[in-house]
Amino acid sequence: PLALQQVVNMRIIADKAKGAKLDDDPAVKAQLAEAKQNIERTVFMQKEVEKRVTEDRLKKAYEEYKEKFPKVEEVEARHILVKDEATAKDLIKKLKDGADFAALAKEYSIDGTKNSGGQLAYFTDKEVVPEFAKAVFAQKVGSLSDKPVKSQFGYHVVEVQDKRQRQPASYEQVKTFLAAELQNEVLGELMDSWRKKADVKLFDINGDAIEPAAGE
């Protein structure tokens, strides 16, 4: 409601200002000149920075990103979550006798993964509850849990499908992020190089010259 009132008020003021004929007003001209100068500075800096954020430099930044990417183990698994241990044990027996995991998940599981046959995306040990993580990360790839895994949600029957090191994002996925980081880096480099070449004299609030410290 507050934003709506502000929009209405600004439209009313704009309509009133149209008839005020302020195009030649000195205050308007001064503010327009200042706005134009600020826009020119911004556009100039954007163009100077963009020229230096090259594809080669972006790819170099991506290689550095990959080198620094932390090594984190991930597991891919599927599970069937039920409320009681007896049902979980019965499901383990059925699976070991050759029953279809996805079909049992759709029939028995009480969480949202039932519609995808119990399939879970890759996850780390920090992204699931501790009891589940401890059991799953201890299992071998391709194995079915020998006994139900108890957590705050119920009893899990788990099949571990794969283990891997977490993969860094692709170049295309992080290119925009890297470009934003490089723009800040390039901006700093530009200002440093321009200041070294400029004749800069500094004064304090009283107008007295500030002498540079030794070595500056």
Side-chain angles (χ1 to χ4, degrees), residues 104-214:
L104 291 181
K106 288 179 181 179
E107 182 179 353
Y108 289 94
S109 196
I110 60 174
D111 81 339
T113 63
K114 65 183 297 179
N115 296 322
S116 60
Q119 188 65 51
L120 300 168
Y122 279 95
F123 57 88
T124 70
D125 60 344
K126 304 299 183 185
E127 294 171 341
V128 292
V129 292
E131 305 90 345
F132 188 79
K134 183 178 179 181
V136 172
F137 278 79
Q139 274 185 230
K140 293 180 180 179
V141 173
S143 68
L144 180 71
S145 48
D146 291 323
K147 58 183 180 179
V149 178
K150 185 181 179 182
S151 78
Q152 66 197 67
F153 303 109
Y155 293 85
H156 307 258
V157 176
V158 187
E159 180 187 75
V160 173
Q161 298 166 301
D162 189 29
K163 291 184 180 182
R164 70 176 187 184
Q165 291 292 324
R166 171 166 282 182
Q167 301 298 301
S170 69
Y171 175 65
E172 291 302 324
Q173 287 174 320
V174 296
K175 186 176 180 180
T176 302
F177 169 76
L178 293 174
E181 282 200 330
L182 273 177
Q183 284 170 0
N184 290 329
E185 186 178 320
V186 167
L187 180 59
E189 292 171 358
L190 276 173
M191 291 310 306
D192 285 344
S193 66
W194 290 344
R195 281 181 70 95
K196 287 176 182 176
K197 296 175 183 177
D199 182 17
V200 180
K201 294 179 181 177
L202 303 178
F203 300 85
D204 64 21
I205 196 169
N206 297 313
D208 297 325
I210 300 174
E211 297 298 330

Side-chain angles (χ1 to χ4, degrees), residues 75-95:
V75 166
E76 183 185 35
R78 54 183 179 175
H79 79 145
I80 304 172
L81 176 64
V82 293
K83 291 181 179 179
D84 61 278
E85 187 177 14
T87 302
K89 286 181 176 179
D90 185 53
L91 288 173
I92 290 173
K93 184 177 182 304
K94 287 180 179 180
L95 289 167

